[in-house]
Amino acid sequence: MNPYQYRAPPVGIELVPRPLKMRLTVRSLSGNSGSHGRHGTLSQLLGVSTGIFLGFILTAAIRHLMLKPHMCLSLRNVPIYDDKNDAYRIIGFDISKDTHNSAKNLLFVGVMTADKYLDTRAKAVYETWGKQLPGKIAFFSSETSTTNVDIPLIRLRGVDDSYPPQKKSFMMIKYMAEHFADHFEFFMRADDDIYVRPDKLELFLRSVNSTKAHFIGQAGKGNQEEFGHLSLKMDENFCMGGPGVIMSRSTLLQVAPHVRDCLKNLWSTHEDVEVGRCVRKYAKVPCTWSYEMQSILYHNSSGTEAFTGPLKQREVHRAITLHPIKNHTHLYRLHSYIQGLNIRSSEAELVHFVRELTKTSEEAGLPVPHLDNPSSGIYLNHLGTDVTLQKWVADSEEEVLYWDFVSKAAFQPGSANPRHKPTSGMTEGLADVIRDVMEIINRVSKERGRVIDFKEVLYGYIRWHPTLALEYILDMLLLYKKYRGKKMTVPVRRHAYLQIPFGPLYIREYESAGIDETLESPSGIHELVEVVVKGSINDLSKLHYQIPSAAFPRTQMKPKKIHFILPLAGRFKTFQRFMDDFQRVCLEGEENVRLVVVSFRPSPGEDDTTEDVEALISSLQLDYPHTVMTVLQANTTFARALALELGTGQCQDNDLMFFIDVDMTFTSSTLDRIRLHTIKGYQIYYPIVFSEFDPKFARKGDSEDNYDHSMINEEVGYWRTFGYGIVAMYKSELQVAGGLDTSILGWGGEDVDLFEKVLKSGIRIFRSADPGLVHVFHRVDCDRNLESSQYQMCQGTRYSTYGASQSLVKTILKNPEILAYKRANP
Ligand SMILES: *[C@@H]1O[C@H](CO)[C@@H](O)[C@H](O)[C@H]1NC(C)=O
Ligand SMILES: *[C@@H]1O[C@H](CO)[C@@H](O)[C@H](O)[C@H]1NC(C)=O
Ligand SMILES: *[C@@H]1O[C@H](CO)[C@@H](O)[C@H](O)[C@H]1NC(C)=O
Ligand SMILES: *[C@@H]1O[C@H](CO)[C@@H](O)[C@H](O)[C@H]1NC(C)=O
């Protein structure tokens, strides 16, 4: 082993997949800050037990299979029975199951709803968390409720949908006690605008003794105005209804016989306050006085706005129930977000198992079991490697991975911009990491009588290995607050070494029939494969990936026709060069294309060559009658936007258009890429073109007019990342985006305008370097009459095409008279 090999810091912390071990170096800022280089004033080794999520996912899945099809009495005019068997049938209950022989008899959830919400909120609840419960669910509504939606609906006799729903609430308690008390341990009263995480709720309830009287909820005493008007004594409370209230069986049985009494003695108009009063009186228990309940049963006070924004929040991750979700569409959204979290937890669990297995096998001197199964695309063995920043060992210079440095700004050696604002991806990734680190650090807060708050990241390093992991080194400023024993608050710095391994790659294949409606297959693309890349911490990112058309014989399907649209004003010599390319690639290559040249009057002072253009095209047309070539004459001063507009006027909605300029050269591989990346109704291709420098500087020795345009390196040109003029799209997308702004005259501006419109329209953009598209150098003379922003843009382009900085520097060094001239003429 190379003795100079990089040694990783002592131990790493590792993030989701949940950390197995972490050691943090802590240094007190207020203490000996002089010993900056010496770590380890205090180091902790935490064994963090990981979640039980996988178990739940599995049992949930098995249960799902075992779920009996339930029948539902929800159709119009079906009589209401109070018969127990009907109640069982409605909720799909198997009478032979009880709390001793089934894990699905833990909880019964009664959702209070109303006729007008059956088709929306109730349906959404039943289709999301309602089906994952360790128990059963039913929706309680007015006697006259009707719906065609398939939900377990119980219409309470003598109850209407009036507000406040006191009668509904009490009658639901009575119904639950009379019909289901023997079969479940806990009974939850829920609103129809709540989201419940059944796995977490199960974990919580299994730690509570249901034979004791419990009244679990978020304790309230009324808000400021109500305080004193609810007829509550100083030490009395109630469980707030919104985020969910849970009674143990014991509580339910003690309260149910008295609901009629309670209904007769209402002291307020608040349903939850009155239920609380009734429970206190007859079951002799208050609502749980626990501060924690606020985060476990989470209520957000933003009303209709709650849970409509970003969901990646500590509150959302922590809670067992979330309230209120007023718009049922957002319940599905929340559900899919939570499912994503669950998938990540179970993947983290998987990594944990693989690692344990690897470690114990090695310790026992046994071979590590083969977990990889290439034929089904499953690779797990690599997940078992050690948690260390030495996972990747470079063998040669090219393999060395660089760390990006991030503080207020980001410094990325691989980026064209040496110093820039951290990208939104970096910022979000960092926020994720920090949230998880803080969660880990504070998991043992209670035991240790301290809380640690996050203040800021002083700096961080980020490194990314495409197949192994994302790695972080963070220097964090934290606030250490000890509240037990000798109280103190000290700022501390902690270094965290983090590694986020990637999970396996999953590939799902779809038959092309399913996607044809939305995605027209442009050129022999027979299949669309969705590749789902799973990073363990970032959201699952989905990529639609098409098999390149080159993979299929051309004869199977004629490649999609590409409509070239070429604006032109004068510059006949350049046009001839363009047409040479067009002839070689498209005409002789028998490509399925069409050419529309939109020719304007040349700028003043240039020869009018419109006739030459027409003549050139006519003669080519004679030789190649199968390719349609058109010249449109516009008798106004040049405007690129107008030219494109006229050109697109020649196309239909279903046509694939390619906006190109006369300075470009292109290859047939570019045409393949256009067909590949331009997808109707879905995606536009914005290639980044390679822009040549002035060959006088960049290519000494080459003849100025005739040199090889396929050369791509940093001396002869650069990727024009700021240009958006060359683009391929279907005409329908141009219309969706809002079309071209024909009020923009001349060159420049219209491309940026269109690009911004496309961004706003939600159409996807595929932007990538296209090595076939080269912008041939020509001297730019910026017209003083241009509008000032266009003039600046033009000057910018002009200066950036002189040559590579290196060549310019060399030239200046070799020719000191340039500097001397500049000094004399500042
Ligand atoms: C639950 O509570 C009951 C009644 O207080 C008690 O008899 C029983 O032992 C408790 N069960 C457990 C598992 O603690
Ligand atoms: C909860 O409410 C606050 C403000 O009332 C808001 O900023 C936050 O985004 C809300 N959280 C969620 C998850 O909607
Ligand atoms: C509910 O949310 C969806 C998606 O944001 C929206 O389209 C719909 O109009 C909303 N419904 C109501 C009643 O606000
Ligand atoms: C083009 O416009 C100019 C000036 O507006 C006019 O003199 C000329 O006749 C026009 N040519 C054609 C072909 O319409």
Side-chain angles (χ1 to χ4, degrees):
M1 205 161 131
N2 181 351
Y4 298 106
Q5 190 172 303
Y6 167 70
R7 283 179 63 102
V11 183
I13 324 188
E14 203 215 5
L15 274 195
V16 196
R18 298 281 173 227
L20 305 179
K21 275 180 191 162
M22 68 173 178
R23 186 180 289 163
L24 299 169
T25 46
V26 180
R27 194 162 48 226
S28 167
L29 286 185
S30 49
N32 188 3
S33 55
S35 66
H36 200 80
R38 292 213 309 274
H39 294 221
T41 330
L42 162 67
S43 60
Q44 300 162 302
L45 190 66
L46 311 175
V48 182
S49 71
T50 49
I52 307 109
F53 290 107
L54 184 65
F56 283 111
I57 299 274
L58 288 179
T59 45
I62 293 164
R63 268 180 227 141
H64 196 78
L65 294 175
M66 298 190 322
L67 200 70
K68 296 174 75 176
H70 81 271
M71 279 166 286
C72 183
L73 284 183
S74 58
L75 297 175
R76 229 171 264 271
N77 303 325
V78 175
I80 307 156
Y81 301 101
D82 274 338
D83 185 285
K84 267 198 182 182
N85 287 329
D86 280 308
Y88 295 149
R89 211 171 61 205
I90 292 171
I91 67 164
F93 184 68
D94 179 351
I95 190 73
S96 67
K97 295 283 191 294
D98 60 35
T99 50
H100 301 292
N101 65 15
S102 163
K104 287 216 63 160
N105 289 46
L106 181 66
L107 173 71
F108 180 88
V109 178
V111 180
M112 293 213 303
T113 186
D115 192 30
K116 66 172 170 177
Y117 290 127
L118 294 179
D119 297 355
T120 51
R121 291 183 183 178
K123 178 169 181 274
V125 165
Y126 190 55
E127 287 176 348
T128 55
W129 62 269
K131 293 216 165 150
Q132 301 176 338
L133 288 168
K136 292 288 175 192
I137 188 171
F139 297 86
F140 290 81
S141 187
S142 55
E143 179 167 358
T144 55
S145 296
T146 55
T147 180
N148 292 321
V149 168
D150 186 18
I151 51 171
L153 175 68
I154 289 166
R155 286 170 289 158
L156 291 165
R157 186 173 276 180
V159 171
D160 59 24
D161 284 333
S162 59
Y163 200 86
Q166 289 160 328
K167 189 167 183 195
K168 193 182 278 170
S169 177
F170 278 106
M171 296 317 283
M172 179 172 91
I173 290 174
K174 187 162 176 288
Y175 190 98
M176 291 196 296
E178 285 173 0
H179 296 84
F180 306 125
D182 294 344
H183 304 293
F184 298 93
E185 293 183 51
F186 292 96
F187 295 83
M188 182 173 188
R189 168 225 168 284
D191 280 352
D192 55 10
D193 57 354
I194 190 176
Y195 186 82
V196 177
R197 294 183 67 173
D199 47 354
K200 285 189 139 197
L201 183 58
E202 173 162 9
L203 196 59
F204 171 71
L205 289 180
R206 294 224 183 266
S207 70
V208 181
N209 186 342
S210 68
T211 50
K212 291 191 176 154
H214 286 289
F215 188 39
I216 302 165
Q218 211 190 103
K221 292 179 70 63
N223 61 29
Q224 248 168 15
E225 302 96 71
E226 292 162 350
F227 193 73
H229 298 275
L230 299 175
S231 305
L232 293 176
K233 297 207 190 90
M234 268 319 277
D235 58 344
E236 290 178 348
N237 69 4
F238 61 96
C239 285
M240 295 199 282
V245 177
I246 299 163
M247 294 181 196
S248 59
R249 175 176 12 200
S250 159
T251 307
L252 182 78
L253 287 172
Q254 290 177 64
V255 171
H258 305 287
V259 298
R260 293 213 183 267
D261 279 350
C262 294
L263 262 175
K264 273 185 215 139
N265 294 295
L266 299 176
W267 291 77
S268 75
T269 55
H270 298 275
E271 166 266 320
D272 47 3
V273 175
E274 296 310 317
V275 171
R277 200 188 311 283
C278 193
V279 171
R280 198 169 49 248
K281 188 165 172 196
Y282 294 105
K284 311 262 184 305
V285 279
C287 184
T288 39
W289 278 121
S290 165
Y291 195 66
E292 261 182 319
M293 284 299 159
Q294 286 184 22
S295 55
I296 296 179
L297 308 177
Y298 176 64
H299 170 81
N300 190 299
S301 52
S302 335
T304 52
E305 294 299 308
F307 308 106
T308 57
L311 294 171
K312 204 185 255 175
Q313 295 186 22
R314 202 168 68 162
E315 290 77 13
V316 176
H317 287 222
R318 255 194 206 167
I320 295 178
T321 70
L322 300 159
H323 176 265
I325 300 104
K326 293 292 180 198
N327 179 337
H328 70 282
T329 316
H330 285 271
L331 197 83
Y332 292 101
R333 172 176 174 261
L334 183 56
H335 184 60
S336 88
Y337 182 76
I338 300 284
Q339 296 286 82
L341 293 184
N342 291 343
I343 290 171
R344 270 157 53 195
S345 300
S346 50
E347 287 193 328
E349 204 59 16
L350 175 73
V351 171
H352 174 72
F353 288 144
V354 173
R355 207 164 276 160
E356 285 287 291
L357 193 62
T358 309
K359 202 166 130 237
T360 35
S361 305
E362 279 165 1
E363 278 168 9
L366 298 168
V368 178
H370 281 288
L371 303 170
D372 289 356
N373 182 357
S375 65
S376 21
I378 294 170
Y379 295 91
L380 297 176
N381 275 102
H382 73 281
L383 298 176
T385 51
D386 252 2
V387 184
T388 160
L389 294 182
Q390 296 194 64
K391 221 176 211 174
W392 175 249
V393 180
D395 277 341
S396 64
E397 195 189 326
E398 304 90 76
E399 287 181 354
V400 174
L401 299 179
Y402 292 109
W403 291 94
D404 291 334
F405 182 79
V406 186
S407 55
K408 296 283 175 273
F411 304 85
Q412 292 179 281
S415 158
N417 194 346
R419 178 202 155 102
H420 58 88
K421 224 174 99 198
T423 60
S424 57
M426 265 183 187
T427 314
E428 185 167 348
L430 212 51
D432 281 349
V433 167
I434 289 162
R435 197 182 46 247
D436 280 14
V437 169
M438 295 316 293
E439 190 89 347
I440 295 160
I441 292 175
N442 279 316
R443 220 172 262 175
V444 288
S445 281
K446 225 189 233 165
E447 290 87 329
R448 296 183 186 204
R450 55 92 169 135
V451 173
I452 297 176
D453 289 342
F454 171 75
K455 298 292 281 181
E456 63 176 320
V457 171
L458 298 170
Y459 63 80
Y461 288 97
I462 306 174
R463 176 170 92 166
W464 185 68
H465 185 277
T467 57
L468 290 174
L470 188 60
E471 296 172 327
Y472 286 88
I473 299 175
L474 301 178
D475 186 351
M476 301 188 294
L477 183 61
L478 309 172
L479 209 55
Y480 177 93
K481 295 183 195 160
K482 194 156 163 44
Y483 55 80
R484 222 167 36 221
K486 188 166 160 263
K487 293 189 179 48
M488 60 171 173
T489 299
V490 271
V492 293
R493 268 169 87 172
R494 286 191 171 196
H495 283 151
Y497 302 94
L498 310 156
Q499 191 166 70
I500 305 162
F502 296 126
L505 181 79
Y506 295 83
I507 297 184
R508 271 184 240 150
E509 286 184 43
Y510 292 95
E511 291 196 11
S512 56
I515 52 117
D516 272 348
E517 287 163 31
T518 46
L519 308 176
E520 184 176 297
S521 101
S523 61
I525 292 165
H526 284 202
E527 274 177 88
L528 184 92
V529 179
E530 186 180 59
V531 179
V532 183
V533 180
K534 287 187 177 173
S536 295
I537 192 161
N538 296 311
D539 280 338
L540 309 181
S541 45
K542 286 191 176 177
L543 309 171
H544 286 275
Y545 184 82
Q546 289 172 305
I547 294 173
S549 52
F552 297 92
R554 276 281 157 87
T555 49
Q556 280 188 5
M557 201 191 282
K558 206 175 168 201
K560 180 83 188 170
K561 181 179 281 183
I562 298 176
H563 298 249
F564 279 67
I565 297 178
L566 176 72
L568 185 67
R571 319 230 359 238
F572 184 68
K573 226 177 127 197
T574 316
F575 178 67
Q576 277 177 313
R577 191 201 46 73
F578 178 88
M579 288 312 294
D580 285 347
D581 269 358
F582 190 82
Q583 178 171 359
R584 187 173 38 81
V585 176
C586 298
L587 302 178
E588 289 164 13
E590 297 183 6
E591 287 282 353
N592 187 20
V593 298
R594 173 189 171 209
L595 176 65
V596 180
V597 180
V598 188
S599 170
F600 280 63
R601 274 205 314 257
S603 29
E606 256 191 274
D607 294 336
D608 189 346
T609 50
T610 41
E611 281 171 19
D612 300 334
V613 171
E614 282 188 353
L616 177 58
I617 293 289
S618 314
S619 79
L620 272 178
Q621 187 73 80
L622 283 177
D623 292 343
Y624 300 94
H626 299 297
T627 301
V628 178
M629 289 173 271
T630 323
V631 182
L632 301 179
Q633 294 287 359
N635 194 15
T636 59
T637 46
F638 184 79
R640 189 169 183 267
L642 180 61
L644 295 172
E645 174 87 0
L646 292 170
T648 59
Q650 303 289 306
C651 296
Q652 309 295 319
D653 276 6
N654 279 336
D655 288 347
L656 170 53
M657 310 184 300
F658 179 42
F659 296 173
I660 192 165
D661 282 340
V662 73
D663 293 310
M664 302 300 302
T665 69
F666 60 94
T667 60
S668 66
S669 63
T670 298
L671 303 187
D672 287 340
R673 283 187 285 268
I674 288 172
R675 295 190 180 106
L676 178 61
H677 300 310
T678 311
I679 306 172
K680 184 168 156 58
Y682 183 68
Q683 183 170 284
I684 289 181
Y685 180 39
Y686 266 105
I688 299 172
V689 310
F690 188 74
S691 200
E692 289 183 347
F693 288 133
D694 189 340
K696 261 206 228 146
F697 272 120
R699 309 184 194 234
K700 290 275 164 54
D702 283 343
S703 111
E704 206 181 310
D705 285 334
N706 186 18
Y707 54 91
D708 176 14
H709 297 296
S710 68
M711 190 195 279
I712 290 187
N713 66 44
E714 62 185 0
E715 293 216 343
V716 302
Y718 65 101
W719 291 106
R720 195 182 273 205
T721 49
F722 50 83
Y724 304 99
I726 311 301
V727 53
M729 70 179 92
Y730 280 82
K731 186 170 175 191
S732 49
E733 265 68 80
L734 180 63
Q735 282 159 346
V736 170
L740 292 146
D741 181 354
T742 49
S743 69
I744 300 174
L745 301 177
W747 297 94
E750 86 295 330
D751 57 339
V752 178
D753 170 74
L754 181 60
F755 186 68
E756 281 170 359
K757 282 181 191 159
V758 169
L759 281 176
K760 285 200 191 100
S761 72
I763 300 166
R764 293 215 197 180
I765 289 170
F766 189 95
R767 184 142 172 86
S768 136
D770 191 318
L773 276 172
V774 175
H775 182 277
V776 177
F777 176 81
H778 69 92
R779 216 165 315 278
V780 182
D781 291 309
C782 297
D783 185 352
R784 279 267 163 210
N785 298 322
L786 279 172
E787 199 219 307
S788 89
S789 68
Q790 278 175 319
Y791 182 71
Q792 270 174 18
M793 252 189 262
C794 179
Q795 289 285 50
T797 309
R798 181 177 168 187
Y799 297 141
S800 59
T801 51
Y802 277 149
S805 316
Q806 279 173 350
S807 326
L808 294 176
V809 168
K810 271 187 211 149
T811 309
I812 290 174
L813 287 178
K814 269 193 217 141
N815 304 283
E817 67 275 11
I818 300 176
L819 272 185
Y821 174 83
K822 190 67 197 156
R823 286 210 188 95
N825 306 277

